[in-house]
Amino acid sequence: MSAEPTEGTWEKRDASPRRILEIGLGLAGFVVVALLVSWWLAGSWGSRSGTSLLGSPGAFTAGPAYRTSVERDWTAVRAAARARLTGYGWVDRRAGVVRIPIDRAMQLMAASGSEKGGRP
């Protein structure tokens, strides 16, 4: 017996090009079917919830008349913050702590700093 393999002595089961092609086509078919099922589910989801995940032509609304709930909420938060910063009110009535407008508070702080000899 010689230690070197002679030409033409391959393994008994080489990878068959036909088998590789079958596996590749099977995977491609699976991906296509999965995409089609996903597309169908996304399109039919709206029949249960009233809206489609894919949307319908003309369903997109834009422009100045259209506002999202985030914009409406943000407008309300901004108005509440502005009211707290520019208005008077009680922080703790029992302790006698009040809230004053921020402009007035800055004026008072600047005046108290200059009276003490500090930088305004």
Side-chain angles (χ1 to χ4, degrees):
M1 284 183 105
S2 71
E4 293 182 20
T6 59
E7 186 152 341
T9 58
W10 308 100
E11 291 184 23
K12 294 183 180 184
R13 297 193 69 156
D14 286 336
S16 167
R18 180 177 177 188
R19 189 71 174 149
I20 293 173
L21 182 63
E22 288 172 355
I23 292 172
L25 290 176
L27 286 173
F30 176 76
V31 168
V32 168
V33 169
L35 288 173
L36 288 173
V37 168
S38 299
W39 178 74
W40 176 76
L41 284 173
S44 67
W45 188 271
S47 62
R48 284 181 261 149
S49 65
T51 59
S52 172
L53 294 177
L54 298 177
S56 59
F60 181 72
T61 309
Y66 180 73
R67 295 179 58 196
T68 64
S69 62
V70 172
E71 283 180 295
R72 287 189 297 272
D73 293 344
W74 184 250
T75 302
V77 166
R78 196 176 340 181
R82 183 173 290 121
R84 289 184 66 84
L85 289 172
T86 60
Y88 291 91
W90 287 102
V91 174
D92 187 358
R93 191 176 285 238
R94 287 185 182 163
V97 179
V98 295
R99 182 181 68 244
I100 63 173
I102 194 164
D103 291 336
R104 181 67 181 137
M106 288 190 296
Q107 289 171 355
L108 292 172
M109 291 299 293
S112 70
S114 61
E115 292 170 1
K116 294 178 184 178
R119 291 191 327 190

